[in-house]
Each structure stands twice: as C-alpha cells, then as structure tokens.
Amino acid sequence: MKEAMMNEWTAVGVSRAHESAELHVLGQATYTDDIPELQGTLHAALGLSSKAHARITAMDLAPVRAAPGVVAVYTAADIVGTNDCGPIIHDDPILAVEEVMYVGQPIFIVVADTHDNARRSARKAVVAYEELPAIFTPQEAKAAGAYVLPPMQLKRGDCQAAFEAAPRVVKGQLFVGGQEQFYLEGQIAYAIPKEDNGLLVQCSTQHPSEMQHVVAHAIGVHSHKVQVECRRMGGGFGGKESQSALWAASAGIAASMLRRPVKLRADRDDDMLVTGKRHCFYYEYEVGYDDNGKILAARVDMTLRAGFSADLSGPVATRAVCHFDNTYYLSDVDIRAGCGKTNTQSNTAFRGFGGPQGAIAIEYIIDEIARNLGRDALDIRRLNFYGKTERNVTPYGQQIVDNIIEALTAELEQTSEYRARRKAIEAFNATSPVLKKGIAFTPLKFGIAFNVTHLNQAGALVHVYVDGSVLVNHGGTEMGQGINTKVMQVVAHELGLDLSQVRITATDTSKVANTSATAASTGADLNGKAAQDAARQIRERLAAYAVKLYGDDDGQPVRFQDNHVQVNGHMVLFAELVQKAYLARVQLWSDGFYATPGLHWDAKTMNGHPFSYYAYGAAVSEVVVDTLTGEWKLLRADALYDAGRSLNPAIDIGQVEGAFIQGMGWLTTEQLWWNAAGKLMTHAPSTYKIPGISDCPEDFRVKLFDNGNVEDSIHRSKAVGEPPLLLPFSVFFAIRDAISAVGGHRVNPPLNAPATSEEILRAVSIVEVMA
C-alpha cells in the first residue's frame, strides 16, 4: 500500500497555498519598512525639480539645512563615486547636475531624524531655473526627431511589392497610453553601514544584483563591499526592476557618508512623480489584405514615450517589434520602433515589457479588416493564424514548433458559447437604442526569455540539515507572484519531501551572485531549474550512499518520495538517511546553475532565436456600454491560458486572473495625464483609477489549457507572469464592438486606449456622424 502511494506521489503539478499566505493574512510578513530600525536610524527624502526642462541657475539649500531635524543635505557634487543609475546606457543621473529633464527629477537628498521632517524640509529649497523647450508626447518626439536611442527596424520580404499586389489596404493611427505599476508597497531602501566601509542595503527590488552594482559605483567601492537583500516585495510589476536603483543609491550614499543607518521611503505622490511607467505608444500603420481578410503586407511605425533617458526602452521596443505578429503569420513586413525622448519620467519595465503594446496594434488592425469585410473578427484571426508545418516562421526568423493556438481557440470558442452569444447580442442591440453590448475573442502568443541572451541564467543554493529539513536560496525575488512557492515545490519534489520540510530565505547578493532580474516571466523557469540542479546533486550523493549502505537493487533507481527513501527493498526515512550520511561525511549542500539553451539574437539585424518557447492563450469578453454616458460594464469573461504542465495550478490561475484585471485597467481606466507644464497630475489614488472589485465581472471563468511544454522547461511548465496581460485585449475590443453597433457595424470606431468614458463618448459621436 505504501509503495502504491509512493508511485502516485508528487510535489509539483498540485495546488499549494502561497508560502507566505498565512503570514500575509496575520500581518506578520516582513517587508522592508517592517524591519526593526537600528538605533540611530535616520530618514531621507528627495528634493525634486518643479520644471520639465530647465537649467538650474541658482540653488539655495540653507533653508533645508535649517529645517527641524535635518542632519545633512547632499547634492551631485557630494557623490564620491559615479552619479548614474541607468541600467544600460549611462544617461540617468542619481541627482541632476545643472539641468533638469522632468518635473519630479531628484536634485538633492536631505537626511533628517524622522521621515516627516525629511520630507517637509525637502520642500524648503529655493531653486532658480532658466526654462528650456520641452517635449511631452511621442508624437512631438517623432516630429522633432528626438530619440534616446537610434530607431530600430525589422524587415522581411518585399513589403512594397506586397502592398502593390494587395487588393485592399487599411491604414490609420492609434494611441495606447502608459500605466503606473501601482505596487501596494512603494519604493523603499534601508542602508546600514558595516565594518570596513561595507554596506547592507535592504530594499524592495526585482534586481538585487543591479542594486549592488549601482550602490557600489555610487559610493566608490567594489561590489563585494555591498550586500543587497530582499525577502519580499509588496508588488513590483516591472517598476522595481531598474527604478529601485535611484532609491537604493540615495539611501546608500547618505548612509555611507554619515556612517549611520538611513531609510528612504517614498510617499505615493513622490513615487509616482519620480518613477517611470509602462511606455505609451503612438502607431502609424498600413496593412494590405485580400478579399478574404488574409494579410499580405504590414507596415507599422511605433513611437514610444521613453522619457528623458534610455532606461529599458531599447529592450521594451525590441519586444514590441517581436510581438507585433502575435499569433499571425506575416509574410512581408516593415516594423519600426523609435524610443521618443520626452521631458517626462523615464519609462521602464511593466508586466509584458512591450509585448502587449506590440500585439495590440495587429489586433486593432484585424478588428478593422473584419469590420471592413463585414466578417466576424474571430474568422479573420483564424485565417491569419500561424501554421504548424508551414507559415510558421516569425518575422525575426524563429520557427514556431509548438503552435497550439488553433486547438486552444477551438476549445474556448466552444466553452465560451461565443457564436451563440454573438447572435444574442445582435438581437439585444437591435432593440436597445442606448445600451449596446459587445463581444470579442482575442488570442495571444508570447515569447518567453530575456531578449538579451546572457540574462537567461540563474543560480541557487540548497542546504540539507542533519534533521532532514531543507533551506533554499536562489536569485529570484518574491513579489507576490509565488516564485518561492514554486521553487520550494521543485526542491521538495526532487528530494521526495513534504513542502513543510523546505524553506526559502531572502534573496541575497552575498549568497547567489550576479543574478538576473526577476522579470520577462523567467523567474520560475530559471531559478526553478537552478534549484532543481542543486537538489539533484544532493539526491545523487544520498542515493549513492544509500546503495553503499543497503545494496543495489539490480540497477533499479533509488526513489525519494513521501519523506522516505526506497532502496533495495528498504524504506528509510529521509531524515534518518541524512543523519547517517552526515556522519559518513557526505556533502549535504550544493549550488545549482542553469542557462537557457539554444538562444541567440542579433540586435543589428533583429533576427535570431530570442525565445525559449511560446505561451498561448485566448479570452472572450462581453460588455455593455451606455452610449449616453460612456460608462460600461464587463458582464462576463472567459479565459483559457496555456501554462504547460502547471507547477501550481492555484497560483497560476490567480496570476491569470490578476493579469486580466490589471491589463483591463491599462486599457480602460488608468489614464496618465500631464498638464501643460509637464507635471504628472495623476500621481495619487485620488486621481489615478485602478480597477476595483466592482470592476471585476460577476461571471469570470478562468481555465488552464491541457498542454505540456515541448521544451525542457522546469517540469514542462510554462511561464504565467506576463503573457496573460494580453487576455484583456478582449475587453477593449468588446467595447469597440459595442460602439460599432451604434453605426450598424459600418464604421470603424477610432478608439484609443485607455477607453475611458470620455474616450468612448468621443468614439460614439464620431460613429454616429460617419454612419
């Protein structure tokens, strides 16, 4: 009976609660601001620019220094190392020097006895400016030829000849706005001086190794003098990948200068004013197609609002270019992207990292083609899907070997009752002059890996203690997405243990060095493989020792399952074997490493094999729109997502649900608005509208597609962080479908994102006039 149970035993592929769930509920989970403050801790705040683009002609900081509780004030001149926190291009100063480039750019650091005193004193500086011309929108940047990087272009085939042969052409413009990450825990860093000019920086970051490098460079020491630690974040969504560097560096500079602990915690308003967002995109597109709706040629020019510096705009633009195709074969293309330089916050990573911005353009175009032909958009999408054995090479040259989009589409079409609901909506709209319903079915294909090949690596440490318990440390960071739970499951499975026997410690640059950011949906893939490698080595040592103790069962493998080890007819407790192995001086800890194989990318030709595999999905959304007010409601959403052989279905379904609602917010309510002087006015919860519980559909059906990964990913699972954010495209296009019903589906509504009530009313009025 015990042997039968062991045959069925597994620690992966099963739903398990988040490893910190109980601590979250009890309020016992430690975030950076919860760490007990050491005696003598000081608090820092940043003095910010009030101008979008100007020269600093004079700066009087005497009122700041004289303010209550102030201990020190530092400017760029006080930085002993490198005044830079740019992740790729060194064009992003920690503190501005002579010239400010956006409203909210840090100019000085003030350190005081309390957080409140620091923040109040920072407002007392007297700064004189000579204002300079400013650029705020991507359209303005494009017109001025202002870019933070050289524009990029991907071409395949003879686009011009294909256009000339195409019987039909659709062209137009589209604007898709950015999005604030709005993590619940704001940016924060706590820097603590250590002996011999060392520094411990505890901060909320997705990239501890980058924080280590930036802080070390800023204070002028080698990286081994700086230790960065992060147990967990209260959300990241990309906003803490590169942009936590400014906060970590500022706290580190102050702590290093004063040799006292310094905490820098940004208030929400300051956080939103200073930090970058998801890039907004402006598109000019032209697509040729035949009378059936098959795309023959595609030309698109995308301009991003990069902000004042490069940050991660180059990789974001690259991913947008590589995801313009989404699930569709495009034979002849000319895809261009320019990172427009604007006098706004330097935009950065956000869940999807340019992929959603690239893919939504082709979906918008297909939506228009379908309406022009009087066809259901799902049929046009199907016609243009990638094939399995032909029409299966992307514009950037990667062959698709795991295409399941047709099968996934067929399943969701049936389970969502798409066709029947489409007919019911047509009947409803025919008798409803004010309220109009809409429905849309949108698919997704998302490449998994960092576009920059060398980032696809990870390390881990696994320690087995004499009592049989296991401690794991890896280079990924936990931001609520469940990476630690999944890695724990992987290690537990490898060693045959209950999850309760495994624990993960804080991400720490002194344990695993040179880690990549937890980003690009690679966290569980990379770190899971690295931890599996470390655990496998320990298991093999224990297996060899068990054979030495109990004999070989005719070459049968030693089995580790259900807290036991089965060897040559003996069933031994794991802890018992570990104790004996320790006495026999068997190594009970190991390091592990993983580098994703088969990746290559030529940034100059924009060609190669940048992705390990693709994740797929599709969603159907049904909305009702009030055409008199622009208000709308999501009535039902059906989502089917390809998570491969899910490591933890409960966590993955939760990730799909969260991504859906977050993406819906990006496309419908989350509007970033700068005033004429370039100040971000939507810089608080009172002015920036993220979705609430009332915005979620009452009927929300999420399911994982049954499909193993063709690539050797961790237990054949697939990433689930970023790809599901494309699922709520269906919400945006359902709204567009409802607006289209106002004109009897004879006019393509010129709907931009976010589709706020004002934007919906604008589109409705245009449709009414044109119809």
Side-chain angles (χ1 to χ4, degrees):
M1 182 68 176
K2 182 71 175 176
E3 186 171 345
M5 289 175 61
M6 290 184 70
N7 286 333
E8 300 171 0
W9 187 91
T10 182
V12 296
V14 290
S15 293
R16 292 287 184 266
H18 191 287
E19 49 92 21
S20 294
E22 186 174 314
L23 299 178
H24 291 154
V25 172
L26 295 176
Q28 296 174 354
T30 301
Y31 295 88
T32 302
D33 204 29
D34 299 319
I35 297 169
E37 294 176 5
L38 297 176
Q39 183 176 2
T41 293
L42 298 172
H43 298 264
L46 301 177
L48 308 179
S49 165
S50 61
K51 302 296 180 182
H53 189 200
R55 290 189 186 92
I56 299 173
T57 57
M59 182 163 60
D60 183 5
L61 298 178
V64 181
R65 293 187 174 95
V70 171
V71 175
V73 180
Y74 300 113
T75 66
D78 299 304
I79 298 176
V80 298
T82 306
N83 181 24
D84 175 74
C85 57
I88 302 174
I89 307 297
H90 301 301
D91 60 349
D92 196 342
I94 298 167
L95 298 176
V97 182
E98 297 180 353
E99 185 178 352
V100 294
M101 301 297 287
Y102 71 98
V103 175
Q105 183 170 12
I107 304 173
F108 62 88
I109 305 165
V110 57
V111 186
D113 56 350
T114 67
H115 169 79
D116 192 54
N117 279 342
R119 191 161 185 258
R120 287 179 183 275
S121 63
R123 270 56 177 176
K124 295 181 181 295
V126 180
V127 184
Y129 299 97
E130 177 191 339
E131 293 198 55
L132 300 170
I135 295 173
F136 297 128
T137 69
Q139 295 95 317
E140 291 172 357
K142 182 178 182 180
Y147 300 101
V148 296
L149 296 165
M152 57 187 68
Q153 183 177 21
L154 170 62
K155 297 182 73 174
R156 176 165 75 172
D158 188 338
C159 202
Q160 187 57 40
F163 266 110
E164 292 171 359
R168 294 170 176 262
V169 173
V170 60
K171 62 170 60 177
Q173 298 84 38
L174 172 66
F175 180 85
V176 174
Q179 185 179 22
E180 161 67 32
Q181 289 87 357
F182 216 93
Y183 24 68
L184 286 177
E185 176 201 30
Q187 299 279 5
I188 182 170
Y190 186 26
I192 302 167
K194 296 293 183 179
E195 66 178 20
D196 194 24
N197 293 320
L199 199 65
L200 167 63
V201 182
Q202 295 170 311
C203 59
S204 186
T205 181
Q206 296 172 235
H207 202 343
S209 287
E210 185 173 313
M211 301 308 104
Q212 179 188 34
H213 299 156
V214 170
V215 172
H217 292 157
I219 65 175
V221 301
H222 289 300
S223 291
H224 67 214
K225 294 271 183 129
V226 178
Q227 176 188 354
V228 176
E229 181 182 281
C230 177
R231 173 59 183 93
R232 60 172 61 82
M233 287 166 277
F237 308 115
K240 295 174 182 175
E241 181 175 343
S242 64
Q243 298 227 341
S244 50
L246 168 66
W247 313 91
S250 297
I253 289 166
S256 179
M257 297 282 283
L258 293 167
R259 304 311 299 168
R260 290 178 65 178
V262 174
K263 179 186 286 188
L264 173 53
R265 174 175 62 81
D267 280 53
R268 181 68 65 179
D269 296 78
D270 292 347
D271 192 328
M272 293 182 73
L273 278 173
V274 174
T275 59
K277 327 295 178 191
R278 181 191 296 281
H279 294 73
C280 70
F281 272 56
Y282 168 68
Y283 312 80
E284 294 177 354
Y285 60 86
E286 183 178 13
V287 169
Y289 60 102
D290 66 18
D291 293 334
N292 294 318
K294 184 178 178 181
I295 294 175
L296 305 175
R299 184 182 291 129
V300 64
D301 191 333
M302 303 182 278
T303 305
L304 299 64
R305 173 160 33 205
F308 80 98
S309 68
D311 196 81
L312 297 172
S313 294
V316 167
T318 300
R319 188 167 282 264
V321 168
C322 292
H323 282 75
F324 173 71
D325 61 324
N326 198 17
T327 55
Y328 312 111
Y329 177 75
L330 304 175
S331 60
D332 297 83
V333 298
D334 182 355
I335 307 170
R336 306 180 188 215
C339 302
K341 183 171 184 176
T342 56
N343 294 108
T344 54
Q345 299 83 347
S346 190
N347 284 327
T348 189
F350 195 124
R351 194 177 194 174
F353 202 77
Q357 294 100 309
I360 197 170
I362 194 67
E363 294 298 336
Y364 194 89
I365 291 163
I366 285 182
D367 194 57
E368 297 212 327
I369 291 172
R371 202 168 285 109
N372 290 344
L373 296 174
R375 301 271 304 281
D376 190 305
L378 176 55
D379 296 328
I380 304 301
R381 290 184 165 97
R382 268 207 168 104
L383 178 68
N384 287 285
F385 276 166
Y386 276 107
K388 286 192 172 183
T389 58
E390 56 183 7
R391 290 169 50 91
N392 65 339
V393 178
T394 66
Y396 46 89
Q398 180 164 340
Q399 184 177 358
I400 299 174
V401 298
D402 61 344
N403 187 5
I404 51 126
I405 192 60
E406 180 56 54
L408 190 149
T409 295
E411 180 176 327
L412 184 61
E413 180 184 11
Q414 189 271 322
T415 59
S416 68
E417 308 162 296
Y418 173 77
R419 301 291 179 178
R421 289 165 63 196
R422 167 67 74 189
K423 290 182 179 179
I425 286 171
E426 289 173 0
F428 173 88
N429 287 340
T431 60
S432 178
V434 174
L435 298 180
K436 297 292 184 182
K437 287 186 177 181
I439 191 170
F441 186 122
T442 57
L444 74 88
K445 172 182 66 67
F446 198 94
I448 304 300
F450 286 98
N451 276 75
V452 180
T453 302
H454 76 264
L455 296 178
N456 295 282
Q457 59 176 300
L461 296 173
V462 174
H463 294 177
V464 176
Y465 293 99
V466 177
D467 65 352
S469 63
V470 179
L471 191 69
V472 182
N473 189 271
H474 60 85
T477 53
E478 176 64 57
M479 62 194 90
Q481 84 280 34
I483 183 176
N484 282 350
T485 309
K486 288 183 173 182
V487 173
M488 286 168 62
Q489 288 180 267
V490 167
V491 172
H493 185 84
E494 203 68 17
L495 296 176
L497 300 174
D498 288 340
L499 205 58
S500 60
Q501 293 292 104
V502 182
R503 180 170 176 262
I504 285 188
T505 56
T507 310
D508 187 336
T509 57
S510 68
K511 295 181 179 178
V512 178
N514 308 320
T515 58
S516 296
T518 304
S521 303
T522 62
D525 282 10
L526 295 176
N527 295 285
K529 276 285 194 178
Q532 183 187 48
D533 178 45
R536 175 190 52 77
Q537 295 177 55
I538 298 170
R539 190 194 72 219
E540 289 175 353
R541 293 182 200 129
L542 288 172
Y545 177 68
V547 168
K548 186 176 179 181
L549 278 182
Y550 300 106
D552 188 3
D553 187 12
D554 294 327
Q556 294 299 311
V558 179
R559 299 175 64 188
F560 290 73
Q561 292 178 298
D562 197 24
N563 298 319
H564 287 76
V565 180
Q566 182 179 336
V567 52
N568 195 23
H570 296 270
M571 190 79 74
V572 186
L573 281 170
F574 179 83
E576 181 182 332
L577 181 64
V578 165
Q579 289 166 9
K580 292 180 178 180
Y582 168 72
L583 295 174
R585 296 185 296 179
V586 175
Q587 183 180 338
L588 295 174
W589 63 270
S590 187
D591 64 307
F593 181 77
Y594 178 73
T596 311
L599 302 178
H600 58 90
W601 177 250
D602 186 330
K604 292 182 179 179
T605 63
M606 300 201 76
N607 202 266
H609 189 105
F611 304 119
S612 175
Y613 61 86
Y614 296 97
Y616 300 87
V620 177
S621 291
E622 181 180 345
V623 303
V624 60
V625 173
D626 186 329
T627 59
L628 296 182
T629 66
E631 295 176 284
W632 64 277
K633 187 172 182 60
L634 177 58
L635 302 175
R636 174 179 166 184
D638 296 67
L640 183 59
Y641 182 73
D642 166 33
R645 298 282 179 241
S646 171
L647 291 172
N648 188 318
I651 282 179
D652 285 349
I653 287 174
Q655 284 290 290
V656 174
E657 292 172 342
F660 189 98
I661 299 302
Q662 187 174 50
M664 181 182 77
W666 164 49
L667 294 172
T668 60
T669 64
E670 298 184 40
Q671 185 173 35
L672 296 166
W673 182 69
W674 288 261
N675 67 13
K679 181 180 180 180
L680 179 69
M681 303 304 290
T682 50
H683 56 79
S686 58
T687 52
Y688 185 78
K689 189 182 186 308
I690 64 171
I693 189 65
S694 60
D695 297 303
C696 300
E698 289 186 16
D699 194 348
F700 196 8
R701 310 182 189 192
V702 176
K703 183 182 175 185
L704 301 180
F705 186 68
D706 185 16
N707 174 53
N709 197 343
V710 298
E711 297 298 326
D712 182 26
S713 58
I714 185 70
H715 289 288
R716 301 287 173 172
S717 64
K718 287 191 178 184
V720 74
E722 295 173 297
L725 199 131
L726 280 67
L727 294 171
F729 285 1
S730 57
V731 177
F732 179 81
F733 290 108
I735 291 172
R736 198 179 189 212
D737 183 55
I739 298 169
S740 174
V742 172
H745 300 296
R746 296 184 300 273
V747 177
N748 278 309
L751 187 67
N752 293 312
T756 60
S757 294
E758 294 86 351
E759 178 66 19
I760 289 171
L761 283 178
R762 184 188 72 86
V764 166
S765 64
I766 292 173
V767 169
E768 288 175 335
V769 170
M770 294 180 66

